Amino acid sequence: MKKINQLISLIGLSALAMGISSCGSVPGTSVATVEPGFAGLKIQLYGGEKGIDNAELVSGRVWYNGYTENVVVFPTYINTYPFTKSPTEGSPTDESVVFSVSGSPVSADVGVSFGFTTEQINKNKGTKLHQFYKQYRKTPDAFRANELRNGLRNCFSSVAENQKLTPSMLPYNQQKLVAGVTECTQQRFPSIAIQDVSLLSPLRLPADIQRSIDEQFAAQQAA
């Protein structure tokens, strides 16, 4: 009987060892690597500590339970992303920012230099990274493609309206327009670090307006 019990124990241990070795770890355990220049949020999905408010700020090699926890990684370095019409920059689809000026559509290739930040807000609310994820629940790529691009569109339209610009005035007021859009974007997204907004090419105006501007410029040159 003693030998039978020992045999059963050995079989149980062997099965456990095979389960661990086949997965590389205890079943359910996952690992994420948060490289330098990035920050991670380890979020509890269940229990009394669940939710973003109690998320742990992590870096390096992070072990977590894939069933009850999640790790979301964000770049904290400043990176410039181009929202352009060209399929060879940024996205293969048209990501140019189209906004309205006096009822006319204007298209712009825009570069945005931004990053996520672990700046502390206060002891109760954690960091700006916690604040960002609590508000948007988006990965960096999803946020950039949706909220950030839409925010830029709204800022271009509102700044052009506040500055009382018309389409024909845009070529001569680009710096003023971009400065206003940069400030607007910073205010719109206080939980991330917006360093700069820039135009990557001349604004694309409606054909009739562009033709009128070109004719006016040619007449001035001739005079």
Side-chain angles (χ1 to χ4, degrees):
M1 180 63 70
K2 183 176 180 181
K3 289 184 178 181
I4 293 175
N5 290 336
Q6 289 176 341
L7 180 60
I8 293 173
S9 298
L10 287 172
I11 292 173
L13 290 172
S14 298
L16 178 61
M18 289 176 64
I20 293 175
S21 61
S22 63
C23 298
S25 60
V26 176
T29 300
S30 302
V31 63
T33 301
V34 183
E35 302 284 355
F38 292 80
L41 287 176
K42 185 177 180 181
I43 305 166
Q44 300 289 336
L45 305 178
Y46 303 97
E49 295 296 312
K50 71 176 182 180
I52 188 61
D53 289 336
N54 298 309
E56 179 185 356
L57 197 63
V58 294
S59 61
R61 197 170 180 83
V62 183
W63 294 91
Y64 65 101
N65 188 319
Y67 299 129
T68 62
E69 299 172 315
N70 189 26
V71 174
V72 187
V73 180
F74 301 85
T76 53
Y77 60 91
I78 297 296
N79 180 48
T80 300
Y81 185 85
F83 292 98
T84 70
K85 185 177 181 179
S86 171
T88 61
E89 293 185 272
S91 170
T93 60
D94 184 354
E95 284 191 320
S96 59
V97 176
V98 180
F99 59 100
S100 177
V101 179
S102 299
S104 298
V106 178
S107 175
D109 293 332
V110 182
V112 185
S113 300
F114 75 102
F116 297 86
T117 174
T118 58
E119 179 185 343
Q120 190 77 28
I121 301 175
N122 56 49
K123 292 183 179 180
N124 295 327
K125 294 186 178 181
T127 69
K128 285 190 174 183
L129 193 58
H130 288 79
Q131 184 184 58
F132 166 84
Y133 198 73
K134 184 175 183 179
Q135 181 175 0
Y136 297 106
R137 306 283 175 156
K138 295 286 184 71
T139 63
D141 288 343
F143 168 76
R144 184 200 68 233
N146 294 282
E147 281 76 8
L148 182 56
R149 184 163 173 258
N150 290 336
L152 284 168
R153 179 188 297 117
N154 292 334
C155 279
F156 268 100
S157 294
S158 63
V159 170
E161 182 179 357
N162 292 337
Q163 294 180 358
K164 302 186 184 308
L165 298 177
T166 63
S168 60
M169 294 169 62
L170 288 176
Y172 311 103
N173 292 272
Q174 290 190 21
Q175 289 185 345
K176 182 181 178 182
L177 174 66
V178 170
V181 170
T182 300
E183 182 180 356
C184 173
T185 309
Q186 289 172 337
Q187 293 176 352
R188 195 178 190 91
F189 302 109
S191 58
I192 65 174
I194 301 288
Q195 186 180 77
D196 184 52
V197 176
S198 59
L199 291 177
L200 303 179
S201 65
L203 295 171
R204 290 182 288 273
L205 307 175
D208 56 335
I209 296 175
Q210 185 63 58
R211 184 166 52 251
S212 175
I213 293 174
D214 294 339
E215 291 173 353
Q216 183 181 11
F217 180 76
Q220 291 175 346
Q221 292 295 99

